[in-house]
Amino acid sequence: MVDPVPEQHALPAVGREVSTLLGLPVQSGHRIDVLINGDEIFPAMLQAIAGARREIWFETFIYWSGDIAQRFASALSDAERRGVSVYVLLDWWGAKDIDVDLIEHMHNAGVSIRFFNPLRWWQLHRMNYRTHRKILVVDRKLAFTGGVGIAKEWQGNARSPDEWYDIHYRIMGPIVRNIREAFRELWSEVLQEPLLCPDDDTPPARHSTDTVAAQVLSSSPRGGSELIYQLFRYALDTATDSVQITTAYFVPDQDMISAIISAVERGVKVEVMVPGPHIDSQIVRYSSKASWGKLLSAGVRILIYQPTMLHAKTTIIDNDWTILGSANFDNRSFSLNDEIILNVCSEEFTATHRKIFIENCEHCQLFSYEDWRRRGLISRLKEVLSDFLRPHL
């Protein structure tokens, strides 16, 4: 775990600018701990669940089977049995491989479990809409979000191709209320389940020792999905020094490609880190590569992560702020999925992520324009065919 460095100054200028752009407040008074890989992420989440005394709200896209899935099911069930109100929201598609025994285990303990957008013949047109969010809120004062799913692939410390690389975050401070409200809206208004208890009128608590400024952005195709796209465009359009993108799926549309190239042309160093030989979607890989020629020839640095599947999602802008959360750099996150992201406006927090990015560069191969030109005919054909699906990736 990387410990955060406390700041001791007022809301930074970038925070005021982003707040104005999105019409959502950037608030100070947070502690945000950076958790890297399952060896740090899962113990922290399970500890929070074990310490819950009032309520647990948990939402995730992937919940499969195996040891870690069993441990979460047991922890959530134990919490319900000791009187904690536990609500679990799973995406129907992402959790379709969950062990049925785990569902029964939680259901028998009294855990309230629901599935988002299950398959129904009269709603086939909605099957492409998924909740890709990762949310855990405990007792209204502690929250987790990031990229991790509940499956054996995320266990360990990225020591082999069987252990995926990811980053998750433990959050204390005012935006916990906003993360909780995002879950509540989906549960009560979209699923039309009984209304969950809102927060009271008590002002949201600031963390006592840290003043990291942060903002929550929740989006969905039902409304607000354009905000994430606008945010990334704003980041590219206003960056003055550097943009460092880490993403599992990098499939930008033509407007976003133009924005990236424009940033490079005005002197911004743009680097993109993506999965290498270990990736869970070959279609995404080939569709992504179809657009690399323009980017590489313009001067974008594309870094191919080698050890395992790279599943983290962070964007570092200059030395000022970091975008993190569940959203990838693709149309699915920009317009089709329910996503949740955080803008963290903090030089110290950004410096921490810049250090992580540099360390991960040691495990990457730099992909050049000449590499792209030398790719074979079969690869080119796969790129053309895969690129037809770009709007859905």
Side-chain angles (χ1 to χ4, degrees), residues 324-340:
L324 57 93
S326 66
N328 290 295
F329 208 94
D330 59 10
N331 189 61
R332 173 158 290 282
S333 288
F334 292 154
S335 63
L336 297 176
N337 287 341
D338 280 56
E339 302 281 5
I340 190 160

Side-chain angles (χ1 to χ4, degrees), residues 49 52 54-58 72-73 75-89 106 109-114 136-137 183 187 196:
I49 292 171
R54 183 178 181 181
E55 67 178 25
I56 297 170
W57 293 4
F58 181 49
F72 267 84
L76 294 166
S77 298
D78 290 345
E80 181 71 38
R81 291 191 185 99
R82 65 174 183 269
V84 179
S85 297
V86 181
Y87 296 86
V88 175
L89 175 56
M106 289 187 281
V111 175
S112 297
I113 307 174
R114 300 293 184 272
L136 173 63
V137 183
F183 180 99
W187 183 279
L196 295 179

Side-chain angles (χ1 to χ4, degrees), residues 241-351:
D241 178 67
S242 63
V243 176
Q244 295 167 316
I245 300 168
T246 300
T247 183
Y249 313 118
F250 179 69
V251 194
D253 64 16
Q254 291 304 312
D255 286 343
M256 197 67 79
I257 290 170
S258 296
I260 294 172
I261 293 173
S262 293
V264 175
E265 288 175 344
R266 65 174 187 271
V268 177
K269 182 180 181 180
V270 179
E271 298 175 285
V272 181
M273 188 177 295
V274 295
H278 310 287
I279 188 171
D280 64 339
S281 176
Q282 294 297 330
I283 292 177
V284 169
R285 180 202 299 278
Y286 286 114
S287 180
S288 178
K289 274 191 174 181
S291 63
W292 287 10
K294 293 180 181 179
L295 297 170
L296 290 165
S297 62
V300 176
R301 284 168 49 89
I302 297 182
L303 300 148
I304 313 298
Y305 190 78
Q306 298 297 308
T308 186
M309 171 65 184
L310 177 73
H311 198 260
K313 307 135 192 340
T314 63
T315 299
I316 306 163
I317 303 94
D318 296 332
N319 297 311
D320 302 322
W321 55 299
T322 307
I323 303 171
L324 57 93
S326 66
N328 290 295
F329 208 94
D330 59 10
N331 189 61
R332 173 158 290 282
S333 288
F334 292 154
S335 63
L336 297 176
N337 287 341
D338 280 56
E339 302 281 5
I340 190 160
I341 63 172
L342 272 59
N343 290 315
V344 182
C345 305
S346 159
E347 292 182 3
E348 286 79 2
F349 189 86
T350 299

Side-chain angles (χ1 to χ4, degrees), residues 4-7 27-32 210-214 344-346 349:
V5 180
E7 296 180 303
Q27 305 172 76
S28 62
H30 299 93
R31 178 186 177 93
I32 304 179
D210 295 297
T211 57
V212 171
V344 182
C345 305
S346 159
F349 189 86

Side-chain angles (χ1 to χ4, degrees), residues 49 55 107 109 113 130 199 218 237 261 270 379:
I49 292 171
E55 67 178 25
H107 179 75
I113 307 174
R130 312 304 336 162
D199 270 322
S218 179
D237 292 343
I261 293 173
V270 179
S379 292

